[in-house]
Amino acid sequence: MNVERLDVTAYTIPTDAPEADGTLAWDTTTVVVVEARSATTTGLGWTYAAADAGSVVRDLLARPVLGRSVLDVAGAHEAMSRAVRNAGRPGLVACALSAVDIALWDLKARMLELPLMRLIGAVRDTVPVYGSGGFTTYHSTHLATQLNGWVHGQGIGRVKIKIGEEWGRAVERDLKRVRHARKAIGPRAELYVDANGAYARKQAVRVGHALADLGVGWFEEPVSSDDLTGLGIVRDLVVSDVAAGEYGYDLPYFARMAPVVDCLQIDATRCGGLTVWLRAAALAEAHGLEVSAHCAPHVHAHPAACVPNLRHVEWFHDHVRVESLYFDGGLDPSGGVLRPAAKGAPGHGLDFRHEDATPYRVL
């Protein structure tokens, strides 16, 4: 049982409305799909990155993977990591490696006819989620409708909106939107915000004090995630939990980030796949931290069930939309939790519908 083929495609899909956060605006989402094949069995992996990540899979990662035992995921990961040394591991290369690693984990689980969480070793059957969107481009009605859908429609008791508009130059509007969000979801639901690194240090502290009065319990990237000292300062001076880590492309990143946050975010589609995601979760546990899975919820549902220090998985609007439109086997977040193994399907249980996505294919 060896890996015989790695197929890669990419699709750039328009968003359902213009979107922006504090430091970036966009109107498309690109998903790079990797399929690892052995005989009649296929493992599926994906990442949300530029289509060029697919070229990295073909040009740099196929050779160290092809011909390896399907069971040897750790060996394949190490071989890929060594193969990209001179190409530069962080960024696009790490996203490509992540997609392959996810596909290999899925292939192994399907070969063994096990749900992925049973293969890894589950510590829970359900995985908490929080609704994530609330882009700065949304008008008040759109924002309220989205939040209401999660909280009152699907019973998801935690939601997050974007703040830090115009690189932190619109604080009054930020706080107005937070107040509007609180009114929409009511007093009981948990409210989170994400500044995407838009604020300066003292500005973030001032905003954090105002957020505490509005019952905000999660302040994500109040300053740039590159500013580790700043993250630590804000964490120590505000009431809300400070979170960061989504731009971690290798394990040492999380070792540097862990001492300055209250919750460590990890993204398996960026950090090196499930192999590194599980290692980073263990690293966080050693620092006494919980972890939160960043975006790509169907990638994270199974591994999230396997770590004791999980806080939740991000039910991110863009990725949920792509994964519901073009993947079979999607999960239901009703009640605020996912049940990854409820259907008993092997692997992560998802398959990609290439024919439906063909109009958006770019690779």
Side-chain angles (χ1 to χ4, degrees):
M1 299 187 296
N2 294 333
V3 181
E4 298 170 358
R5 285 172 51 194
L6 278 184
D7 295 332
V8 58
T9 50
Y11 305 85
T12 296
I13 300 162
T15 57
D16 55 1
E19 296 177 354
D21 55 34
T23 56
L24 186 68
W26 64 95
D27 57 11
T28 61
T29 298
T30 298
V31 58
V32 179
V33 178
V34 173
E35 289 162 307
R37 305 186 189 276
S38 178
T40 60
T41 304
T42 299
L44 174 66
W46 66 98
T47 185
Y48 293 98
D52 289 339
S55 299
V56 175
V57 174
R58 290 175 175 172
D59 298 342
L60 296 177
L61 301 178
R63 175 178 287 183
V65 168
L66 295 181
R68 283 187 172 269
S69 169
V70 168
L71 304 180
D72 188 18
V73 177
H77 187 279
E78 181 64 18
M80 288 191 291
S81 297
R82 293 182 181 185
V84 301
R85 186 196 69 178
N86 290 348
R89 165 66 183 269
L92 194 72
V93 172
C95 290
L97 193 157
S98 299
V100 177
D101 183 81
I102 294 163
L104 294 177
W105 273 103
D106 187 44
L107 178 61
K108 179 177 179 178
R110 293 187 190 221
M111 278 286 192
L112 297 174
E113 299 183 348
L114 289 172
L116 186 52
M117 63 186 282
R118 303 302 177 204
L119 172 64
I120 299 171
V123 298
R124 58 172 56 84
D125 291 326
T126 61
V127 173
V129 300
Y130 69 91
S132 173
F135 303 107
T136 59
T137 45
Y138 284 3
H139 54 70
S140 58
T141 302
H142 192 165
L143 177 63
T145 298
Q146 185 181 67
L147 298 179
N148 270 309
W150 286 324
V151 175
H152 304 299
Q154 294 181 295
I156 301 173
R158 314 164 198 87
V159 293
K160 185 176 79 180
I161 70 168
K162 301 289 190 179
I163 61 171
E165 188 172 354
E166 298 179 9
W167 285 87
R169 298 185 183 95
V171 173
E172 288 304 315
R173 173 169 158 76
D174 289 339
L175 296 177
K176 181 179 179 180
R177 294 179 67 252
V178 175
R179 288 191 289 269
H180 183 70
R182 172 54 72 191
K183 182 178 179 181
I185 67 176
R188 295 185 180 180
E190 296 179 38
L191 181 57
Y192 301 167
V193 298
D194 182 1
N196 286 99
Y199 298 129
R201 294 177 184 179
K202 288 186 177 180
Q203 183 185 29
V205 172
R206 293 192 294 269
V207 171
H209 291 161
L211 294 174
D213 293 336
L214 295 169
V216 173
W218 171 282
F219 195 179
E220 184 174 331
E221 287 193 335
V223 297
S224 170
S225 57
D226 292 328
D227 182 8
L228 298 181
T229 301
L231 282 172
I233 290 170
V234 177
R235 181 203 58 187
D236 290 343
L237 294 177
V238 303
V239 174
S240 305
D241 281 354
V242 168
E246 66 186 72
Y247 297 111
Y249 293 110
D250 54 27
L251 193 61
Y253 177 98
F254 300 104
R256 297 190 295 271
M257 180 66 69
V260 297
V261 296
D262 295 301
C263 185
L264 190 63
Q265 294 177 280
I266 320 172
D267 189 333
T269 73
R270 294 175 175 173
C271 72
L274 305 188
T275 298
V276 176
W277 195 94
L278 293 166
R279 294 172 183 173
L283 183 154
E285 185 180 8
H287 282 80
L289 296 179
E290 291 182 316
V291 298
S292 178
H294 174 264
C295 289
H298 289 94
V299 165
H300 292 110
H302 282 263
C306 301
V307 295
N309 55 323
L310 176 78
R311 184 174 296 195
H312 41 43
V313 170
E314 183 174 12
W315 192 251
F316 180 57
H317 172 72
D318 283 9
H319 298 175
V320 168
R321 180 171 174 266
V322 170
E323 290 165 16
S324 63
L325 286 173
Y326 303 109
F327 291 73
D328 288 325
L331 300 170
D332 181 0
S334 295
V337 297
L338 303 176
R339 295 170 175 80
K343 299 177 182 179
H348 52 53
L350 273 72
D351 296 293
F352 191 78
R353 299 197 301 272
H354 289 277
E355 290 186 5
D356 291 349
T358 295
Y360 305 112
R361 184 169 177 176
V362 292
L363 179 69

